[in-house]
Amino acid sequence: MSSITIEAKNFNNSLAPYHTCPNTRMAGKGDRGVYYLKEWAKRYLKKALARLQPHIKGYELSIEDLYTMQQMCAYETVAIGYSKFCELFTQKEWEGFNYAYEASFGSPVARVQGHGWITELVARLTHTKIVEHNPSTNSTLNDDPTTFPLDHSLYVDATHETVILNILTALNLTNFAASGPLPYTHIPHKRAFESSKLVPFATNVQFQLLECTSVPGPQIRIIINDGVTPLTGIKGCPEQPDGMCPLDTFVRAQQKLLADTNWDYECYGNWTVPEGPAWITMTGSPPRPAS
């Protein structure tokens, strides 16, 4: 059974939550990463601009043009096997491009966008219907056992890499935020968050249910692109060499995180945050409302 959902404005879709969360489309909220991207790109592409401009007559290249060329290298390579754009940049400039896409826990609307899919995950793990829907879950599809079964041993969902990052944030996988906010002035020698490792082309995230003789009861673990992910940021989950957490502990923690997420405020609230590093979040949430 395949269910192809509509990705468009005003259609409830946990795999495209930005269409029902207006604040994700508000300047200064959903696009906070643009400031950091522009500041970083001005630094790592400065030499490339000076090197390539003499080869272009009648058009003044911009930093944005060069960044777009780097994107074209990636897309064309995947689509047709090679791209001439790739040859235009140095190894160091490609390292800069790799770093330029680091965004997730620093977005004030990341956590709320993962809320709907995690609601569905908990329903699948507990084999229970969703009791309370939010605007990103589709009650028409999710309340129908034909389009949203709860008794299967395997479920496969497909979405965009940005949504996957939102889900990882909403799960509270704080190990990826352990090194703190990422600077736009340089690439830190060691950093916990690298989007190229978390969401490359065809990224794959598995939630595995296991039963082992070495630990009591059903366990869950998360595999991201063949790598076991520590679950120690999830309340109650132990440090475990195989990344496992008791299923009931994991579910309770996710239910608490879901309850603590205020969809109305985070998606519709009139909160504001200043541009740049004057305000930061490492939880993927906006400033709390005044009590």
Side-chain angles (χ1 to χ4, degrees):
M1 171 67 192
S2 297
S3 179
I4 301 175
T5 54
I6 299 172
E7 182 179 345
K9 188 177 180 180
N10 297 326
F11 282 89
N12 297 36
N13 186 340
S14 63
L15 298 172
Y18 32 79
H19 285 305
T20 52
C21 183
N23 277 344
T24 65
R25 303 187 296 276
M26 293 285 289
K29 295 181 179 181
D31 64 351
R32 267 186 61 79
V34 173
Y35 170 88
Y36 296 93
L37 172 58
K38 287 182 176 179
E39 290 298 317
W40 172 239
K42 284 192 297 187
R43 289 165 169 80
Y44 88 86
L45 288 172
K46 181 179 178 180
K47 291 182 179 180
L49 182 62
R51 185 176 67 250
L52 297 175
Q53 182 61 72
H55 298 280
I56 305 292
K57 304 300 181 183
Y59 180 79
E60 185 175 350
L61 285 171
S62 68
I63 292 294
E64 184 176 358
D65 291 329
L66 299 188
Y67 182 74
T68 302
M69 290 177 187
Q70 290 189 298
Q71 290 180 308
M72 287 299 297
C73 163
Y75 284 116
E76 286 192 338
T77 299
V78 170
I80 61 176
Y82 73 99
S83 174
K84 297 297 288 185
F85 286 110
C86 302
E87 303 170 8
L88 299 178
F89 302 95
T90 66
Q91 175 70 28
K92 188 174 182 180
E93 287 158 0
W94 282 116
E95 291 171 0
F97 178 76
N98 176 54
Y99 182 66
Y101 195 68
E102 313 291 39
S104 179
F105 290 86
S107 167
V109 288
R111 180 178 293 275
V112 71
Q113 291 187 79
H115 186 279
W117 190 86
I118 293 175
T119 299
E120 295 171 344
L121 172 67
V122 170
R124 287 165 167 170
L125 292 175
T126 58
H127 310 289
T128 56
K129 292 179 65 175
I130 297 172
V131 176
E132 182 177 351
H133 288 276
N134 67 58
S136 77
T137 54
N138 191 309
S139 59
T140 301
L141 296 176
N142 289 354
D143 290 345
D144 187 335
T146 301
T147 51
F148 191 73
L150 296 170
D151 58 351
H152 288 193
S153 58
L154 176 66
Y155 303 93
V156 179
D157 293 331
T159 186
H160 304 285
E161 82 285 359
T162 52
V163 179
I164 290 176
L165 290 176
N166 292 334
I167 290 170
L168 298 183
T169 304
L171 286 166
N172 211 45
L173 299 182
T174 55
N175 50 294
F176 295 125
S179 55
L182 296 171
Y184 59 79
T185 55
H186 64 283
I187 302 176
H189 178 61
K190 291 184 178 181
R191 62 187 190 275
F193 188 96
E194 292 190 50
S195 59
S196 61
K197 295 180 179 179
L198 292 174
V199 285
F201 278 114
T203 191
N204 181 282
V205 180
Q206 301 174 33
F207 293 77
Q208 298 180 340
L209 294 182
L210 309 167
E211 289 199 27
C212 308
T213 56
S214 57
V215 289
Q219 305 287 312
I220 188 170
R221 70 175 181 175
I222 300 175
I223 310 294
I224 302 177
N225 302 314
D226 297 328
V228 176
T229 300
L231 302 183
T232 50
I234 298 172
K235 186 176 180 180
C237 289
E239 288 192 26
Q240 210 275 346
D242 296 308
M244 295 187 294
C245 177
L247 179 59
D248 57 352
T249 299
F250 178 90
V251 168
R252 281 196 304 270
Q254 295 307 317
Q255 289 172 330
K256 178 64 165 59
L257 289 168
L258 291 172
D260 289 344
T261 302
N262 187 333
W263 180 280
D264 288 340
Y265 172 73
E266 296 182 33
C267 282
Y268 293 89
N270 191 28
W271 49 268
T272 59
V273 292
E275 185 178 55
W279 177 87
I280 60 171
T281 176
M282 290 306 296
T283 63
S285 299
R288 290 294 180 185
S291 56

